[in-house]
mmCIF file of all heavy atoms in Angstrom:
data_model
loop_
_atom_site.group_PDB
_atom_site.id
_atom_site.type_symbol
_atom_site.label_atom_id
_atom_site.label_comp_id
_atom_site.label_asym_id
_atom_site.label_seq_id
_atom_site.Cartn_x
_atom_site.Cartn_y
_atom_site.Cartn_z
ATOM 1 N N GLU A 83 17.633 66.481 70.621
ATOM 2 C CA GLU A 83 18.789 67.354 70.870
ATOM 3 C C GLU A 83 18.345 68.757 71.259
ATOM 4 O O GLU A 83 18.882 69.350 72.184
ATOM 5 C CB GLU A 83 19.649 67.429 69.569
ATOM 6 C CG GLU A 83 21.018 67.988 69.775
ATOM 7 C CD GLU A 83 21.848 67.941 68.492
ATOM 8 O OE1 GLU A 83 22.265 66.831 68.126
ATOM 9 O OE2 GLU A 83 22.025 68.995 67.880
ATOM 10 N N ALA A 84 17.321 69.257 70.548
ATOM 11 C CA ALA A 84 16.780 70.581 70.878
ATOM 12 C C ALA A 84 16.179 70.606 72.299
ATOM 13 O O ALA A 84 16.409 71.546 73.053
ATOM 14 C CB ALA A 84 15.740 70.986 69.851
ATOM 15 N N LYS A 85 15.470 69.520 72.646
ATOM 16 C CA LYS A 85 14.867 69.476 73.997
ATOM 17 C C LYS A 85 15.938 69.387 75.066
ATOM 18 O O LYS A 85 15.810 70.033 76.153
ATOM 19 C CB LYS A 85 13.945 68.230 74.062
ATOM 20 C CG LYS A 85 13.109 68.167 75.314
ATOM 21 C CD LYS A 85 12.183 66.974 75.302
ATOM 22 C CE LYS A 85 11.349 66.920 76.541
ATOM 23 N NZ LYS A 85 10.465 65.729 76.545
ATOM 24 N N ALA A 86 16.996 68.624 74.800
ATOM 25 C CA ALA A 86 18.081 68.509 75.795
ATOM 26 C C ALA A 86 18.808 69.825 76.020
ATOM 27 O O ALA A 86 19.248 70.111 77.115
ATOM 28 C CB ALA A 86 19.098 67.441 75.305
ATOM 29 N N ASN A 87 18.860 70.665 74.966
ATOM 30 C CA ASN A 87 19.510 71.940 75.064
ATOM 31 C C ASN A 87 18.566 73.062 75.515
ATOM 32 O O ASN A 87 18.962 74.237 75.515
ATOM 33 C CB ASN A 87 20.163 72.319 73.739
ATOM 34 C CG ASN A 87 21.290 71.402 73.386
ATOM 35 O OD1 ASN A 87 21.946 70.836 74.266
ATOM 36 N ND2 ASN A 87 21.531 71.189 72.078
ATOM 37 N N GLY A 88 17.341 72.682 75.821
ATOM 38 C CA GLY A 88 16.356 73.693 76.274
ATOM 39 C C GLY A 88 15.799 74.546 75.139
ATOM 40 O O GLY A 88 15.295 75.636 75.365
ATOM 41 N N ASN A 89 15.892 74.048 73.902
ATOM 42 C CA ASN A 89 15.392 74.818 72.748
ATOM 43 C C ASN A 89 14.133 74.137 72.220
ATOM 44 O O ASN A 89 13.692 73.081 72.703
ATOM 45 C CB ASN A 89 16.434 74.845 71.625
ATOM 46 C CG ASN A 89 17.657 75.602 72.054
ATOM 47 O OD1 ASN A 89 17.583 76.574 72.757
ATOM 48 N ND2 ASN A 89 18.842 75.139 71.597
ATOM 49 N N TYR A 90 13.516 74.795 71.219
ATOM 50 C CA TYR A 90 12.329 74.243 70.581
ATOM 51 C C TYR A 90 12.713 73.808 69.168
ATOM 52 O O TYR A 90 13.421 74.534 68.467
ATOM 53 C CB TYR A 90 11.201 75.244 70.535
ATOM 54 C CG TYR A 90 10.612 75.546 71.881
ATOM 55 C CD1 TYR A 90 10.963 76.711 72.581
ATOM 56 C CD2 TYR A 90 9.731 74.664 72.487
ATOM 57 C CE1 TYR A 90 10.419 76.974 73.834
ATOM 58 C CE2 TYR A 90 9.186 74.905 73.735
ATOM 59 C CZ TYR A 90 9.524 76.081 74.401
ATOM 60 O OH TYR A 90 8.990 76.324 75.630
ATOM 61 N N TYR A 91 12.177 72.690 68.760
ATOM 62 C CA TYR A 91 12.413 72.211 67.376
ATOM 63 C C TYR A 91 11.211 72.679 66.507
ATOM 64 O O TYR A 91 10.069 72.385 66.807
ATOM 65 C CB TYR A 91 12.520 70.712 67.335
ATOM 66 C CG TYR A 91 12.484 70.133 65.912
ATOM 67 C CD1 TYR A 91 13.538 70.397 65.033
ATOM 68 C CD2 TYR A 91 11.406 69.371 65.474
ATOM 69 C CE1 TYR A 91 13.508 69.881 63.757
ATOM 70 C CE2 TYR A 91 11.388 68.856 64.207
ATOM 71 C CZ TYR A 91 12.442 69.126 63.340
ATOM 72 O OH TYR A 91 12.410 68.628 62.044
ATOM 73 N N VAL A 92 11.526 73.439 65.462
ATOM 74 C CA VAL A 92 10.496 73.891 64.524
ATOM 75 C C VAL A 92 10.645 73.073 63.258
ATOM 76 O O VAL A 92 11.652 73.136 62.556
ATOM 77 C CB VAL A 92 10.677 75.382 64.191
ATOM 78 C CG1 VAL A 92 9.579 75.830 63.198
ATOM 79 C CG2 VAL A 92 10.637 76.226 65.462
ATOM 80 N N PRO A 93 9.659 72.214 62.958
ATOM 81 C CA PRO A 93 9.752 71.343 61.765
ATOM 82 C C PRO A 93 9.751 72.188 60.482
ATOM 83 O O PRO A 93 9.268 73.322 60.464
ATOM 84 C CB PRO A 93 8.562 70.436 61.845
ATOM 85 C CG PRO A 93 7.628 71.080 62.785
ATOM 86 C CD PRO A 93 8.436 71.945 63.690
ATOM 87 N N ALA A 94 10.288 71.618 59.411
ATOM 88 C CA ALA A 94 10.289 72.316 58.108
ATOM 89 C C ALA A 94 8.855 72.545 57.600
ATOM 90 O O ALA A 94 7.943 71.788 57.972
ATOM 91 C CB ALA A 94 11.084 71.481 57.107
ATOM 92 N N GLN A 95 8.711 73.573 56.805
ATOM 93 C CA GLN A 95 7.388 73.869 56.229
ATOM 94 C C GLN A 95 6.953 72.712 55.330
ATOM 95 O O GLN A 95 7.779 72.188 54.537
ATOM 96 C CB GLN A 95 7.470 75.155 55.405
ATOM 97 C CG GLN A 95 7.624 76.407 56.244
ATOM 98 C CD GLN A 95 6.378 76.715 57.046
ATOM 99 O OE1 GLN A 95 5.271 76.616 56.547
ATOM 100 N NE2 GLN A 95 6.574 77.091 58.294
ATOM 101 N N PRO A 96 5.722 72.276 55.411
ATOM 102 C CA PRO A 96 5.266 71.175 54.541
ATOM 103 C C PRO A 96 5.309 71.555 53.092
ATOM 104 O O PRO A 96 5.039 72.696 52.727
ATOM 105 C CB PRO A 96 3.834 70.885 55.027
ATOM 106 C CG PRO A 96 3.401 72.108 55.754
ATOM 107 C CD PRO A 96 4.642 72.745 56.316
ATOM 108 N N LYS A 97 5.632 70.605 52.238
ATOM 109 C CA LYS A 97 5.722 70.871 50.780
ATOM 110 C C LYS A 97 4.521 70.317 50.031
ATOM 111 O O LYS A 97 4.350 70.611 48.854
ATOM 112 C CB LYS A 97 7.011 70.250 50.226
ATOM 113 C CG LYS A 97 8.268 70.849 50.816
ATOM 114 C CD LYS A 97 9.488 70.294 50.125
ATOM 115 C CE LYS A 97 9.747 68.848 50.508
ATOM 116 N NZ LYS A 97 10.994 68.314 49.903
#
Side-chain angles (χ1 to χ4, degrees):
E83 195 176 287
K85 189 176 179 182
N87 294 331
N89 296 324
Y90 290 101
Y91 169 68
V92 180
Q95 290 291 318
K97 296 186 288 183

